[in-house]
């Protein structure tokens, strides 16, 4: 720590404080003492006239206020700095900077650079060489050099998404020093131990520096996520922190693959607790979309936990040696398996009982897991595709039963060699009692599970003893006989339960442990599905870097020098210089590698028994009191001015109302000067006035294409329809509005008229996405190609405008379309119409096909009370509606016919009523039946 709590940048200015007594004496004599002159003729006047009294000297409290003002100015000019940094570099050797640049240094990296630069400046001033080493870099040139070289190294360095490898950096530093003792050795640390045996501080002390400094940041910002478990009802998250002194609650956010936040939760720490668990509650389908978890307001790689395919839902095929019996479901071999896996996987069963045909069909669906319940012999032609599927990463889970017990011992799809027949426990001819389960081993997927105490086994199939049987056994009975065995096959595996899948052989299927065991086995499988068509995958197949994590917790496609990740079945991979944290694999499937290993714990760096000086980073503790002192001086000057004005009678000569107003103005001015950043709570945001104007009434809207003539006809056409609606209906729309699809809000308008022009610029993808969202939210778009073509496809040829419409529709999620049926609500929403002409009369009006005309799997986009989200015509409605300021039509109809223009207006009225009333008119057909029912 610094020796002084504060210091003055210009201490010589404090000499002016000596003049304060002189200032006091001068102020006490101001104003000057009045003299008394005896002039007898004026004595009579003195008794008549009111004498204005002048004080002989200023009041003591006013003098004290002015003295404080002068002292504040003097102290402000002297610039007092609290917790100033002092240069105290030892001159007995080079300056050595040992800098942590791991994941925990990302939030305050700039302050660390400033601190290191200040030390380098001190060494430069003292003419000392500088050596610098970074703990999260794979190599270090720690040879002492000039201060300029050290600055270049410092500016080139950046935080890495790794745990610091301090031992490697220390070895490089010790070799570079070659026995030279440092003068000052500054360890700019993140404060966390890199491992359980981190002795970095002790090793740095062994270099015998003249001064050892330990410079650390804010430990409260060092938090990390060390594990996540997708449980049955929530995502359980484990987090750790470095500073566990006080209680804290950290908000958690789950994001999908696109980076959108889709769920949230929290993890709470109690005082003194460094590891805690929280949860993110969400439906299983939503949790299946989680791609990353993060701690809010902590932008570090440690505060982000990447999730890979191991958290996603699997496709599981269920095969049974017996036909399902719906009258006795509890005796079905697949009943308990279905109940156990249904919340966690998509279950598939064969459509045909013939396994020779059903297994190839099921393999074509790329399942992750195949479960076989008591299947002894398979059709011969199914073994090869099943083995290829397993070699490519599939997981085969088999259950014993009478059929498997009678199967040949050389079955290639069994993990161990089985004895013929089954072993009965507790029977009349058996000496052994039903067995309970032994403690589950500390390897395999069941590691960490408690031993089931309520499960007993009465019958099992036995495995022939082999040297590797113990390694392949994931669960066993109390007498040591295997219960669950496993055999790896290239990228896949075969798992065998030595009991049946229903409760006749054991109590395991009806216990809660059965659900957990199956869930863990399914999670081991490949989530993206496995195909049997290629056989090149192996367990040692290297996974290329796909996305890497930055020190601030963002994913990037820059892989740099990262090497492919080689999976290890015996141990989880750890982040390193060769394999930085990130995603390894491809879009079809990847493995997540996080900064910290599972269940890691952040612990403070051990510095016991070492003599050192602890310091903080620059920018956190050091601060100047100059601005505060100048503000105090200004307020004192303002108070002195008001007091002098009051004592001189300046306020007394004002009228009472003016005096009150002046005082209020002064008070508000002072408040404004003290808090200049305050703003009114009711300030309007930009664009609010336009929004309020658009909400006052119904507006017809059209898309601005950028072509002046097209936009003019659209505006005048909607203006003509507005006047017609006002004259013929109770609807009185306001002036039409032209819309810019890139920025204008679309949700204010029930329908948007879009004139298609092939010569206008193609709308951007963002504009089309906004239109798509508008249609999904219940709005309707009327596309008008203005070309009189009656077909939407290219069978009869298409105009340029029609081709442009096809390009736009190709990017929209639109429903199937059909011409307006004769009994559709559009034909009777206001006028009775049989066609919908515009300036032309040859094109039908296309709308969303009705439900009864669609296939069962068609996807509907209509969301607004039966209103079609899309209308398409080529009849040029706006051209028929367009009028000038005098109400005269701008364009003639083709052919010239005023009756056609009238029907065009009526078509517009029907469309608007259809938009605003939905299927109300259609429901009128039920009125006779309702009246008849009421009459009864």
């Amino acid at each position: 720590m610094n020796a002084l709590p504060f210091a003055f940048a210009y201490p010589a200015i404090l000499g002016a404080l000596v003049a304060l007594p002189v200032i006091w004496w001068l102020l006490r004599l101001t104003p000057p003492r009045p003299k008394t002159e005896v002039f007898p003729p004026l004595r009579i006047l003195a008794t008549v006239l009111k004498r204005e009294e002048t004080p002989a000297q200023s009041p003591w409290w006013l003098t004290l206020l002015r003295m404080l003002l002068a002292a504040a100015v003097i102290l402000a000019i002297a610039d007092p700095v609290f917790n100033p940094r002092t240069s105290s570099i030892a001159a007995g050797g080079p300056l050595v900077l040992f800098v942590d640049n791991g994941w925990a240094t990302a939030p305050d990296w700039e302050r660390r650079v400033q601190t290191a630069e200040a030390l380098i400046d001190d060494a430069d001033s003292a003419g000392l060489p500088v050596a610098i080493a970074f703990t999260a870099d794979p190599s270090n040139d720690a040879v002492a050099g000039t201060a300029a070289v050290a600055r270049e190294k410092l500016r080139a360095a950046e935080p890495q998404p790794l745990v610091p490898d301090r031992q490697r950096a220390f070895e490089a530093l010790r070799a570079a020093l070659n026995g030279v003792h440092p003068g000052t050795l500054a360890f700019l640390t993140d404060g966390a131990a890199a491992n359980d045996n981190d002795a970095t501080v002790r090793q740095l002390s062994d270099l015998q520096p003249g001064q050892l400094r330990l410079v650390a940041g804010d430990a409260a910002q060092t938090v990390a996520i060390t594990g996540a478990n997708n449980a049955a009802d929530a995502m359980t998250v484990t987090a750790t922190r470095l500073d566990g002194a006080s209680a804290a609650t950290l908000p958690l956010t789950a994001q999908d693959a696109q980076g959108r936040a889709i769920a949230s939760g929290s993890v709470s720490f109690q005082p003194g607790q460094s590891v805690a668990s929280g949860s993110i509650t969400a439906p299983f389908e939503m949790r299946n979309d989680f791609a990353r978890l993060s701690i809010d307001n902590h932008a570090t790689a440690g505060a982000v936990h990447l999730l890979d395919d191991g958290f996603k839902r699997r496709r599981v095929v269920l095969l049974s040696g017996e036909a399902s019996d719906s009258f006795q479901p509890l005796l079905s071999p697949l009943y308990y398996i279905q109940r156990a896996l249904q919340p966690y996987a998509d279950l598939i069963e064969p459509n045909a009982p013939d396994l020779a045909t059903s297994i190839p069909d099921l393999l074509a669906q790329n399942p992750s897991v195949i479960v076989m319940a008591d299947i002894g012999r398979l059709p011969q032609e199914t073994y090869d595709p099943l083995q290829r599927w397993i070699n490519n990463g599939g997981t085969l889970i088999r259950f014993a039963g009478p059929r498997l017990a009678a199967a040949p011992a050389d079955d290639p799809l069994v993990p161990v060699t089985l004895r013929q027949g089954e072993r009965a426990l507790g029977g009349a001819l058996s000496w052994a009692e039903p067995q309970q389960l032994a403690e589950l081993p500390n390897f395999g997927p069941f590691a960490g599970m408690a031993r089931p105490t309520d499960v007993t086994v009465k019958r099992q199939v036995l495995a022939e003893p082999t040297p590797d049987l113990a390694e392949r056994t994931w669960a066993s009975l109390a007498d040591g006989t295997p219960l669950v065995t496993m055999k790896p096959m290239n990228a896949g595996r075969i798992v065998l339960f030595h009991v049946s899948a229903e409760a006749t052989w054991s109590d395991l299927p009806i216990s809660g442990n059965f659900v957990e065991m199956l869930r863990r086995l399914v999670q081991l499988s490949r989530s993206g599905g496995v195909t049997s068509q290629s056989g090149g995958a192996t367990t040692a197949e290297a996974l290329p870097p796909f996305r890497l994590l930055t020190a601030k917790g963002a994913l990037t496609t820059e892989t740099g020098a990262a090497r492919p990740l080689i999976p290890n079945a015996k141990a989880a991979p750890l982040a390193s210089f060769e394999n930085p944290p990130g995603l390894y694999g491809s879009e079809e499937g990847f493995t997540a590698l996080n900064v910290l290993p599972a269940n890691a714990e952040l612990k403070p760096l051990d510095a016991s028994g070492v003599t050192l000086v602890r310091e903080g980073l620059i920018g956190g503790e050091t601060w100047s009191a100059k601005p505060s002192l100048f503000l105090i001086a200004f307020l004192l000057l303002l108070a002195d001015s008001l007091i002098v004005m009051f004592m001189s009678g300046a306020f007394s000569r004002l009228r009472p109302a003016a005096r009150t107003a002046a005082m209020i103005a002064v008070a508000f001015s002072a408040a404004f000067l003290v808090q200049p950043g305050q703003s009114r709570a009711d300030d309007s945001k930009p664009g609010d006035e336009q929004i309020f104007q658009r909400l006052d009434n119904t507006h017809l809207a059209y898309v601005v294409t950028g072509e002046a003539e097209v936009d003019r006809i659209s505006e005048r056409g909607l203006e003509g329809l507005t006047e017609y609606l006002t004259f013929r209906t109770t609807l009185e729309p306001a002036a039409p509005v032209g819309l810019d699809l890139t920025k204008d809000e679309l949700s204010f308008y029930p329908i948007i008229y879009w004139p298609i022009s092939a010569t206008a610029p193609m709308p951007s993808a963002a504009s089309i996405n906004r239109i798509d969202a508008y249609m999904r939210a219940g709005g309707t778009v009327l596309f008008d190609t203005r070309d009189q073509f009656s077909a939407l496809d290219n069978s009869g040829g298409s105009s340029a405008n029609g081709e442009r419409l096809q390009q736009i529709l190709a990017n929209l999620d639109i429903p199937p379309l059909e011409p307006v049926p004769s009994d559709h609500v559009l034909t009777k929403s206001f006028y009775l119409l049989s066609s919908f002409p515009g300036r032309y009369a040859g094109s039908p009006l296309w709308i969303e096909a009705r439900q009864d005309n669609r296939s069962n799997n068609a996807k509907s986009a209509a969301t607004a009370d039966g209103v079609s989200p899309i209308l398409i015509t080529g009849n040029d409605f706006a051209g028929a509606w367009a009028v000038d300021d005098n109400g005269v039509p701008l364009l003639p109809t083709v052919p010239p016919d005023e009756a056609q223009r009238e029907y065009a207006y009526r078509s517009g009225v029907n469309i608007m009523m259809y938009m605003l009333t939905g299927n109300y008119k259609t429901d009128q057909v039920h009125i006779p039946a309702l009246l008849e029912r009421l009459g009864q």
Side-chain angles (χ1 to χ4, degrees):
M1 299 296 288
N2 294 303
L4 295 175
F6 70 93
F8 290 93
Y10 307 99
I13 302 298
L14 297 177
L17 295 175
V18 180
L20 287 180
V22 179
I23 297 175
W24 174 278
W25 181 73
L26 291 175
L27 291 177
R28 292 287 292 173
L29 296 180
T30 303
R33 184 183 301 274
K35 295 182 179 180
T36 304
E37 297 290 343
V38 179
F39 187 53
L42 296 178
R43 186 176 296 274
I44 298 175
L45 294 177
T47 60
V48 176
L49 300 177
K50 182 179 180 181
R51 184 173 60 183
E52 183 178 355
E53 298 179 353
T54 302
Q57 57 187 9
S58 60
W60 67 268
W61 49 268
L62 181 59
T63 303
L64 178 62
L65 184 145
R66 292 171 177 174
M67 293 288 292
L68 292 176
L69 189 154
V73 172
I74 295 172
L75 292 176
I77 296 175
D79 192 7
V81 178
F82 285 81
N83 296 322
R85 180 184 168 274
T86 58
S87 176
S88 57
I89 288 183
L95 168 66
V96 175
L97 298 177
F98 197 71
V99 183
D100 276 342
N101 62 327
W103 65 269
T105 63
D108 54 3
W109 178 250
E110 295 300 327
R111 291 178 56 197
R112 294 176 183 274
V113 171
Q114 294 175 12
T115 303
E117 286 181 341
L119 292 171
I120 294 174
D121 292 341
D122 294 341
D124 194 9
S125 301
L128 298 176
V130 181
I132 186 169
F134 298 95
T135 61
D137 286 355
S139 60
N140 282 284
D141 180 11
V143 177
T146 62
V149 174
R151 289 191 188 96
E152 292 180 1
K153 294 180 180 179
L154 182 63
R155 292 166 185 164
E158 58 184 10
Q160 303 295 327
L162 296 168
V163 175
D165 190 349
R166 295 176 179 139
Q167 186 61 36
R168 181 193 293 235
F170 174 76
E171 295 296 338
L173 177 62
R174 182 169 60 181
L177 291 176
N178 195 19
V180 177
H181 300 305
T184 294
L185 196 160
F187 182 12
L188 277 69
T189 178
D190 57 19
N195 50 59
D196 293 337
N197 301 316
D198 193 340
T200 305
V201 177
R202 196 172 301 106
Q203 291 176 329
L204 294 176
S205 178
D206 293 341
L207 297 178
Q208 299 179 8
Q211 182 186 55
L212 179 59
R213 295 186 181 184
L214 189 66
V215 184
D218 185 7
Q221 297 298 317
T222 306
V223 294
I225 299 177
T226 59
N229 180 29
N230 198 358
D233 54 350
M235 176 74 75
T236 303
V237 182
T238 303
T240 179
R241 61 175 179 168
L242 183 59
D243 183 8
S246 60
T249 299
L250 303 179
L252 302 172
T253 298
Q255 298 174 336
D256 61 7
Q258 286 73 37
R260 297 171 296 192
I262 56 178
S264 61
S266 63
V267 55
S268 297
F269 291 88
Q270 300 299 323
Q273 187 179 17
S274 60
V275 177
S277 296
S279 63
I280 300 178
T281 303
F284 182 84
E285 292 77 12
M286 184 178 293
R287 283 184 278 125
N288 199 43
D289 291 335
F290 289 178
R292 55 182 283 169
L293 309 175
S294 60
I295 302 176
D296 296 352
N297 304 321
H298 289 78
T300 65
V304 171
H305 191 79
L306 301 176
L307 304 177
D308 55 19
D309 296 348
F311 289 86
K312 295 184 179 179
R313 198 176 183 91
R314 268 66 169 171
R315 179 173 293 174
V316 178
V317 170
L318 303 181
L319 298 176
S320 173
E322 298 181 2
S324 59
D325 188 354
S326 58
F327 296 101
Q328 294 179 322
L330 298 181
L331 299 180
S332 172
L334 297 179
Y335 177 80
Y336 299 101
I337 299 176
Q338 290 173 334
R339 298 304 184 274
L341 293 180
Q342 195 168 13
Y344 309 105
D346 293 329
L347 305 182
I348 306 173
E349 296 189 45
N351 296 324
D354 185 4
L355 295 181
T357 59
S358 61
I359 287 181
D361 293 340
L362 294 171
L363 291 178
Q365 301 183 45
N366 300 336
S368 300
V369 180
I370 295 179
V371 180
M372 293 184 180
D374 191 23
I375 294 181
R377 292 181 176 88
L378 290 169
Q380 189 62 37
E381 60 270 25
T382 63
Y383 280 95
D384 288 340
L386 278 173
Q387 287 178 316
R388 288 196 300 269
W389 174 79
I390 297 173
N391 288 331
N392 292 341
T395 298
L396 176 62
I397 303 176
R398 302 191 67 174
F399 285 85
R403 291 177 177 81
L404 184 62
D410 58 350
D411 189 344
L413 298 182
V414 175
V416 294
T417 303
L418 298 177
R419 294 181 181 180
Q420 291 292 322
E422 69 266 13
R423 174 197 184 197
L425 302 174
L429 301 179
S430 175
W431 293 346
E433 295 292 332
Q435 293 288 310
Q436 290 188 336
L437 271 63
E439 293 291 340
L440 296 172
N442 56 3
F443 62 91
F446 308 144
M449 288 182 58
R451 181 181 70 89
T453 58
D454 57 343
V455 173
T456 57
V457 175
K458 297 174 289 185
R459 191 180 297 267
Q460 68 176 141
V461 291
L462 289 175
E464 292 288 351
T466 58
D468 59 348
L469 181 59
E471 298 178 1
R472 296 187 180 184
T473 301
W474 281 350
S476 59
L477 301 184
D479 62 358
T481 55
L483 176 66
V484 181
T485 54
M486 180 276 303
K487 176 185 177 181
M489 290 181 60
N490 288 339
R493 62 184 61 85
I494 301 175
V495 181
L496 173 63
F497 282 78
H498 290 240
V499 294
S500 63
E502 27 77 29
T504 57
W505 284 28
S506 72
D507 300 331
L508 181 62
I510 59 177
S511 69
N513 299 88
F514 186 69
V515 177
E516 180 64 16
M517 294 172 76
L518 284 181
R519 188 189 69 84
R520 293 194 180 196
L521 290 176
V522 170
Q523 290 297 321
L524 287 178
S525 64
R526 185 178 297 178
S527 68
V530 183
T531 177
S532 61
Q533 298 303 317
S534 62
T538 63
T539 54
E541 181 182 4
L543 301 175
F546 176 53
R547 298 284 190 272
L548 294 184
L549 201 64
T550 66
K552 292 188 176 181
L555 283 174
T556 177
T557 57
E558 298 293 333
T559 57
R563 296 182 179 180
L565 180 68
I566 300 178
N568 187 351
K570 295 184 179 180
L574 299 177
S576 62
F577 296 116
E578 292 78 15
N579 298 123
L583 303 176
Y584 289 81
S586 63
E587 292 183 357
E588 297 179 356
F590 47 79
T591 295
L593 182 61
N594 290 291
V595 177
L596 298 178
N599 302 320
E601 180 179 355
L602 293 176
K603 297 180 180 179
L605 190 66
D606 184 14
S608 59
V610 178
T611 302
L612 51 80
V613 178
R614 295 182 179 270
E615 296 180 358
L617 299 174
I618 287 180
E621 298 179 354
T622 302
W623 61 280
S624 174
K626 178 190 290 187
S628 300
L629 290 173
F630 271 126
L631 177 61
I632 293 174
F634 174 77
L635 294 177
L636 292 175
L637 177 61
L638 182 63
D640 179 82
S641 301
L642 294 176
I643 293 173
V644 170
M645 292 175 64
F646 182 80
M647 294 178 63
S648 62
F651 292 108
S652 61
R653 289 191 290 269
L654 297 175
R655 295 180 179 179
R659 183 164 58 249
T660 302
M663 295 299 294
I664 294 176
V666 171
F668 273 103
S669 300
F672 177 78
L673 290 172
V674 174
Q675 297 180 344
Q678 277 191 333
S679 60
R680 293 169 53 192
D682 58 346
D683 285 345
S684 299
K685 297 181 180 179
D688 286 352
E689 182 178 355
Q690 182 182 15
I691 292 176
F692 291 142
Q693 291 176 355
R694 301 286 170 84
L695 291 176
D696 63 347
N697 206 334
T698 301
H699 295 260
L700 306 186
Y702 64 93
V703 174
V704 176
T705 63
E707 295 187 345
E709 182 61 21
V710 175
D711 296 338
R712 185 180 73 90
I713 294 300
S714 298
E715 180 185 8
R716 299 313 306 172
L718 295 187
E719 181 66 31
L721 181 60
T722 298
E723 294 178 1
Y724 193 91
L725 286 167
T726 304
F727 180 71
R728 295 294 182 92
T729 71
T730 58
L731 177 64
E732 298 181 0
V737 176
L739 297 179
D740 184 352
L741 296 181
T742 61
K743 61 181 180 180
D744 288 337
E745 178 59 48
L746 309 180
S747 60
F748 302 143
Y749 314 101
I751 186 171
I752 297 176
Y753 177 75
W754 191 336
I756 302 300
S757 176
T759 57
M762 179 68 183
S764 63
S767 300
I768 294 179
N769 291 338
R770 297 189 71 208
I771 280 289
D772 188 59
Y774 166 78
M775 294 166 63
R776 290 180 184 275
T780 298
V781 181
L782 172 56
F783 294 96
D784 194 341
T785 59
R786 303 173 296 121
D787 54 7
Q788 199 183 358
F789 272 75
S790 60
L792 292 179
D793 53 17
N794 294 323
S795 59
S798 178
S799 67
N801 290 355
E803 293 177 355
R804 173 57 60 86
L805 176 61
Q806 292 175 10
Q807 296 174 4
I808 296 174
L809 297 183
N811 300 316
L812 289 173
D813 184 17
I814 62 172
L817 302 178
E818 66 177 355
V820 175
S822 59
D823 60 342
H824 195 273
V825 66
L826 263 173
T827 64
K828 53 190 175 184
S829 59
F830 195 85
Y831 292 104
L832 294 177
L833 299 176
S834 59
S835 62
F836 299 88
R839 190 174 174 225
Y840 310 109
S843 173
L845 180 62
W846 294 81
I847 62 171
E848 179 184 5
R850 291 185 292 190
Q851 187 67 35
D852 52 0
N853 293 336
R854 301 185 207 152
S855 60
N856 292 332
N857 57 356
K859 183 169 61 174
S860 173
T863 58
D865 203 15
V867 175
S868 174
I870 182 172
L871 302 176
I872 301 178
T873 186
N875 287 335
D876 191 8
F877 281 159
W881 300 336
V883 294
D884 60 14
D885 294 337
N886 297 321
V888 179
L890 292 178
L891 300 175
T893 61
V894 180
D897 185 2
E898 288 305 312
Q900 179 176 324
R901 190 185 306 276
E902 175 65 22
Y903 279 106
Y905 277 121
R906 294 185 179 187
S907 299
V909 173
N910 274 28
I911 291 174
M912 281 303 300
M913 294 303 167
Y914 171 60
M915 294 301 105
L916 298 176
T917 61
N919 55 14
Y920 161 76
K921 184 68 70 172
T922 302
D923 290 340
Q924 302 306 299
V925 299
H926 302 295
I927 289 182
L930 294 175
L931 293 177
E932 182 180 357
R933 178 72 59 86
L934 291 174
Q936 295 175 358

